[in-house]
């Protein structure tokens, strides 16, 4: 069987699972599918649902926030609505030098469409994107 036959899930390291729970559940509104251990931390991980399936593993680790790349992207239909909703929940959107952002922090995406980036408390970068 080829690897493409299996589901893919993003995994993100965080430095403090309690702070991460406040962000991912409180600000992003992601529902928890299950929680469990992470290394020697008894309740140090969460699996979150998105799009109707398990989509994101969050686990406490000393490697938290070490990647500067976008770790996961949500593909949405109404980008402005999602950005405004997240901003209202306390999520701050990134503005990058050399890119033109609108008042919400949305910018044109290379190859078409629009995108906005935000970070969790550890500096892990995520995006919301639409094709219009």
């Amino acid at each position: 069987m080829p690897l493409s036959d299996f589901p893919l899930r993003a995994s993100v390291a965080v430095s403090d699972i309690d702070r991460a729970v406040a962000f991912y559940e409180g600000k992003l509104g992601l529902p928890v599918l299950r929680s469990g251990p992470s290394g020697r931390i008894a309740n140090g991980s969460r699996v979150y649902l998105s799009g109707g399936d398990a989509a994101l593993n969050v686990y406490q680790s000393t490697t938290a926030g070490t990647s500067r790349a976008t770790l996961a992207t949500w593909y949405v239909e109404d980008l402005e609505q999602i950005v405004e909703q997240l901003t209202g929940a306390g999520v701050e959107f990134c503005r990058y030098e050399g890119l033109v952002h609108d008042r919400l922090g949305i910018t044109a995406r290379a190859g078409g469409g629009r995108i906005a980036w935000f970070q969790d408390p550890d500096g892990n970068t995520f995006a919301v994107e639409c094709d219009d």
Side-chain angles (χ1 to χ4, degrees), residues 8-28:
L8 178 67
R9 187 180 316 155
S11 292
V12 177
V14 298
S15 62
D16 180 323
I17 193 65
D18 294 325
R19 184 174 67 171
V21 164
F23 181 79
Y24 289 96
E25 295 171 34
K27 292 187 178 186
L28 300 187

Side-chain angles (χ1 to χ4, degrees), residues 43-123:
N43 198 26
S45 71
R46 301 289 186 281
V47 176
Y48 290 106
L49 292 169
S50 190
D53 204 355
L56 182 65
N57 295 331
V58 175
Y59 63 97
Q60 188 165 320
S61 172
T62 58
T63 63
T66 58
S67 176
R68 296 186 54 149
T70 302
L71 299 178
T73 302
W74 281 270
Y75 296 91
V76 302
E77 294 176 10
D78 188 337
L79 186 57
E80 286 85 0
Q81 178 186 11
I82 296 296
V83 170
E84 286 176 342
Q85 176 184 349
L86 291 172
T87 299
V91 175
E92 295 182 24
F93 283 82
C94 304
R95 294 178 184 269
Y96 295 107
E97 191 172 315
L99 296 177
V100 177
H101 298 87
D102 70 11
R103 67 177 178 79
L104 297 173
I106 298 170
T107 189
R109 186 182 58 114
R114 296 173 301 132
I115 190 167
W117 293 273
F118 62 91
Q119 296 179 332
D120 75 0
D122 286 297

